[in-house]
Amino acid sequence: MAPTMHRSVCPYDCPDTCGLLVTVSGGRATAVQGDPEHPHSRGTLCPKMTHYEQTVHSPRRLTTPLLATGPKGGGAFAPISWEEAAQRIAERWKAIIAGHGAQAILPYSAGGTMGLVQRNCGHAFFHRLGASRLDRTICSPAKGEGWKAVMGRTPALDPDTVLDSDLVLLWGCNALATTLHGFQRARQARRAGARVWLIDTYHTATAASVDRTFVVRPGSDGALALGLMHLLVRDGLHDPAFLAAQAQGFQELAERVLPQYPPERVAALTGLPVQALEELAQAYGRARAPFILLGSGLSRYGNGAMNVRAITCLPAVTGAWARPGGGAFKGVDDAGGFDLAQVTREDFQAAPVRTVNMNRLGHALGELDAPRVMGLYVYHSNPAAVAPDQNAVLRGLSRTDLFTVVHERFLTDTARYADLVLPATSSLEHSDLYRGGGSYCIQRARPAIPAVGESRSNWQAFQTLAEAMGFTEPYFRQSADELIDRLLDTPSPRRDGLDREAFETGRAAALRPPAPGTWLTPSGRIELLNPALDPPLPGYFPRHAEAEDLPFSLMTGPALFSLNSSFQERDALRERAGGMRLLMNPDDAREQGLADGQAVLAANPRGEVRFQLETTERAPRGVVVAEGVWWLAFAPGDRTVNALTSQRLTDQGGGSTFYDNRVEVRSAG
Ligand code: SF4
């Protein structure tokens, strides 16, 4: 039979939500390429999704349910049927509920798939079960809180306005790794004459493609923003007319806060020379339309929300919002305006239950009581690798009295600790509805190929478990497509003008972004002073790790060839990544008596991880960098980078603090 072509969507935790064209032959995906008609990604994919068919048909794919036949973590399993697996799970959960209460069961999921139905349908099941709730805050809730402090619920501006900018600041944004198509737009602006500058904690891969890079001390971004505002006001580069008409609290900010951030102090806090601060302030203040593309990493510190809050004040101080191409973009939260409650079904939760912060899984499994967590169900996430404080997580997963079920495509680090593993579909095998985080695109995807082996989608797995548990709600008997239809049939002004007919053929739709210039804050103005918060004005305070007496700040940055712990199943991508390395400045290495290429141990009170050392000027003095999250199976030692990260939380939002840790580094001997 001749090959057929199908439209689909990249399902991963990336703002670009690229459109895919999938070639199918004999029921198998034989090629995956970018969809040139996708309004945002326009036919290009990152290296991870190029050859996605190799993930979909990987020899590592799980094809049947598996029952553990050996000790936890050992990876010994025997195939069983879905019917037997569902029966075993239901029996065990009913026993846990009878003995400890339903809150002794904890769901755990994150961003393995970002489609609205497959990602969120488990909420309804666990609400119905009465299980503990999971606070899904591993990514960047502090970024949202910092933004909200100033901008309230103001929707994101059209990210394509960057094309009209004359100065693009990539702030804490390794755009080449995390938003390739956002970066393409910035480079397009550059070709039209804009300067593209980067502010980050080390010379990331993106640094090679920008005009200038400013390397700041980890966690000092907020101090930099306050210092820039000090200079802008000192030099009269602020916009009094805009501030008077559109902002609240400028006078208080200028009188009470900014005098505390003179260039000498900000230089000491950020590590930037005074001259660089002056140049940055001049460039930002004199640009016609400066555009800040805000990354997420700078929010993953104990002062993360405050960092973002201070940066978010900048475009108001210069009045950049008023000029096409000016402003700041932190991501689109609600493209499509979908009523997700139809999927998550809060109404299924009969009584209040406790909430467990996902960044504190180690604590939850090891120390939480009343009731102790006795059942764990993990889906589209790999917490043994991605959750902070890996040793605490692995201790918890090793508990012989913990009943763990993992629904996955591969035998991940977490799946190896499961009592039961259920095989999951890839995004090419199930229906879903996607919305972009880096654009206002939405897209519907239907299966391009049949399920591989006996794998089932998240929704199908929860339908199976609902039946085994005796849930009779009609909700659990709908198909995924019926759920998607409900979301689409519920009107929203965000979808006004959507060509539903074209949309139903699988084409992405670019929704019209909200008109700029309306501030959805309690005051109706940009809130440089927010009286509802403590403190009401932005400021700077140190991150957690300043209190750790160890020589190096550890940056756990994103990688080009993996995304969180996804794509480790692809040998070729791991080879391109070049192994699990620790980047260190050559002068630091010399002082430590370490040499390029040697095996080293990075250590702190939480753990010890073996890396191959790479000495490079990309890492500034005092900072070491470990990019990507590796599976234990492919690590040079028995732990990966999150054995060094902590369960501490951000100042607001309960977020992760992956970048807020210190380590020592020594020879592995
Ligand atoms: S990971 Fe991001 S850039 Fe890569 S294909 Fe998916 S959405 Fe596009």
Side-chain angles (χ1 to χ4, degrees):
M1 204 198 292
T4 52
M5 194 72 94
H6 302 255
R7 284 204 154 83
S8 192
V9 187
C10 176
Y12 287 98
D13 186 8
C14 170
D16 292 12
T17 323
C18 294
L20 310 178
L21 287 179
V22 184
T23 308
V24 174
S25 185
R28 290 174 65 90
T30 55
V32 175
Q33 60 199 83
D35 179 356
E37 293 181 35
H38 190 280
H40 186 60
S41 57
R42 300 178 187 173
T44 54
L45 301 178
C46 70
K48 304 179 285 282
M49 279 302 278
T50 306
H51 296 305
Y52 181 47
E53 74 279 2
Q54 294 177 5
T55 287
V56 172
H57 298 295
S58 164
R60 292 191 168 95
R61 274 293 294 273
L62 301 173
T63 54
T64 66
L66 298 170
L67 178 68
T69 56
K72 297 201 174 199
F77 293 93
I80 59 170
S81 69
W82 267 96
E83 290 64 34
E84 187 184 349
Q87 191 186 346
R88 281 175 178 267
I89 293 168
E91 276 173 12
R92 192 70 184 265
W93 279 355
K94 285 176 183 171
I96 290 172
I97 292 168
H100 305 269
Q103 291 184 70
I105 297 170
L106 177 68
Y108 193 100
S109 68
T113 183
M114 298 298 282
L116 296 182
V117 167
Q118 302 293 352
R119 183 182 192 209
N120 297 298
C121 60
H123 296 31
F125 178 85
F126 287 108
H127 293 338
R128 172 64 180 81
L129 194 66
S132 290
R133 295 176 72 107
L134 186 73
D135 208 5
R136 291 172 172 82
T137 49
I138 202 166
C139 186
S140 53
K143 184 180 178 184
E145 291 296 326
W147 175 270
K148 196 170 73 179
V150 182
M151 304 301 291
R153 292 181 297 104
T154 304
L157 85 177
D158 178 358
D160 279 357
T161 58
V162 70
L163 298 174
D164 294 322
S165 173
D166 59 341
L167 175 66
V168 183
L169 283 187
L170 306 174
W171 199 319
C173 183
N174 184 357
L176 201 57
T178 61
T179 176
L180 179 65
H181 299 89
F183 193 40
Q184 284 178 351
R185 298 294 197 283
R187 289 206 278 202
Q188 201 176 331
R190 189 179 182 219
R191 286 195 291 278
R195 289 163 294 173
V196 179
W197 287 4
L198 171 68
I199 300 169
D200 217 323
T201 53
Y202 70 102
H203 287 265
T204 62
T206 303
S209 302
V210 299
D211 297 301
R212 187 165 177 185
T213 299
F214 298 82
V215 175
V216 297
R217 293 217 170 96
S220 69
D221 303 84
L224 175 57
L226 293 162
L228 292 178
M229 285 187 271
H230 175 108
L231 294 171
L232 291 168
V233 174
R234 184 199 69 183
D235 295 344
L237 296 173
H238 59 304
D239 185 338
F242 180 88
L243 287 161
Q246 310 277 352
Q248 165 176 286
F250 173 68
Q251 198 173 343
E252 292 87 341
L253 179 75
E255 289 175 2
R256 291 191 224 153
V257 177
L258 299 187
Q260 300 170 45
Y261 297 92
E264 296 73 22
R265 180 179 181 219
V266 173
L269 290 171
T270 62
L272 284 176
V274 168
Q275 178 68 20
L277 293 172
E278 298 275 2
E279 288 168 12
L280 188 48
Q282 286 291 316
Y284 186 76
R286 295 190 184 283
R288 175 184 45 78
F291 183 100
I292 297 174
L293 182 56
L294 198 54
S296 296
L298 53 82
S299 74
R300 296 188 187 118
Y301 297 100
N303 57 6
M306 189 58 98
N307 282 335
V308 175
R309 184 177 171 188
I311 295 167
T312 306
C313 293
L314 272 165
V317 168
T318 56
W321 285 116
R323 302 187 290 277
F329 182 71
K330 79 146 185 66
V332 177
D333 287 329
D334 61 348
F338 295 108
D339 176 19
L340 268 187
Q342 297 192 59
V343 178
T344 60
R345 296 302 299 261
E346 295 295 319
D347 56 309
F348 282 180
Q349 188 185 297
V353 297
R354 71 179 173 192
T355 299
V356 173
N357 187 304
M358 69 188 306
N359 299 305
R360 293 177 51 73
L361 180 64
H363 172 267
L365 297 181
E367 295 164 53
L368 199 60
D369 235 325
R372 191 161 166 76
V373 176
M374 302 302 294
L376 178 71
Y377 185 92
V378 180
Y379 54 116
H380 65 95
S381 185
N382 181 11
V386 302
D389 202 350
Q390 186 178 50
N391 280 309
V393 173
L394 294 183
R395 272 196 305 276
L397 291 174
S398 301
R399 275 176 43 202
T400 53
D401 63 340
L402 177 71
F403 177 64
T404 301
V405 180
V406 175
H407 183 214
E408 250 299 347
R409 296 169 305 160
F410 302 102
L411 199 63
T412 60
D413 295 343
T414 310
R416 298 173 76 85
Y417 284 82
D419 296 277
L420 268 162
V421 183
L422 305 173
T425 47
S426 77
S427 60
L428 298 192
E429 300 150 50
H430 57 235
S431 293
D432 217 336
L433 178 62
Y434 297 88
R435 65 181 178 195
S439 76
Y440 278 92
C441 288
I442 61 172
Q443 192 170 358
R444 180 173 192 162
R446 290 189 168 82
I449 56 170
V452 169
E454 296 172 24
S455 56
R456 294 186 185 179
S457 69
N458 282 349
W459 176 238
Q460 290 168 323
F462 286 117
Q463 287 182 300
T464 304
L465 294 173
E467 191 179 343
M469 293 299 291
F471 296 171
T472 55
E473 288 79 2
Y475 169 85
F476 292 108
R477 291 199 287 274
Q478 307 169 82
S479 68
D481 277 306
E482 285 168 332
L483 267 172
I484 293 167
D485 286 338
R486 274 176 188 273
L487 290 173
L488 286 165
D489 290 344
T490 307
S492 162
R494 288 282 158 79
R495 275 176 273 126
D496 280 353
L498 172 69
D499 180 350
R500 184 82 184 260
E501 207 170 306
F503 189 73
E504 292 296 344
T505 67
R507 287 175 195 280
L511 303 174
R512 204 173 49 252
T518 303
W519 319 115
L520 300 186
T521 60
S523 65
R525 293 167 166 231
I526 297 173
E527 299 197 332
L528 305 177
L529 180 148
N530 184 330
L533 293 180
D534 181 17
L537 288 162
Y540 168 78
F541 60 89
R543 64 187 178 132
H544 296 306
E546 295 310 322
E548 292 182 339
D549 188 20
L550 292 167
F552 294 102
S553 286
L554 171 67
M555 292 288 100
T556 59
L560 289 179
F561 302 109
S562 60
L563 203 173
N564 303 327
S565 76
S566 296
F567 297 104
Q568 286 275 299
E569 72 279 358
R570 298 255 294 279
D571 298 342
L573 288 174
R574 285 199 323 281
E575 277 161 27
R576 287 180 77 182
M580 204 172 111
R581 288 167 297 138
L582 189 72
L583 313 186
M584 179 184 276
N585 185 277
D587 292 336
D588 282 336
R590 208 170 301 114
E591 279 181 11
Q592 302 289 316
L594 301 171
D596 185 59
Q598 82 169 88
V600 295
L601 293 173
N604 64 21
R606 292 174 285 285
E608 195 170 89
V609 181
R610 190 182 177 102
F611 293 94
Q612 184 183 11
L613 190 73
E614 179 180 333
T615 60
T616 169
E617 299 286 352
R618 290 175 55 207
R621 296 294 305 265
V623 172
V624 290
V625 182
E627 293 181 333
V629 178
W630 291 70
W631 288 2
L632 290 168
F634 305 124
D638 62 358
R639 290 292 181 268
T640 47
V641 69
N642 280 317
L644 301 168
T645 59
S646 88
Q647 299 182 57
R648 295 178 299 222
L649 301 177
T650 51
D651 45 344
Q652 284 186 278
S656 59
T657 56
F658 285 117
Y659 298 172
D660 197 349
N661 302 281
R662 295 184 76 85
V663 294
E664 61 181 8
V665 183
R666 60 179 187 273
S667 168

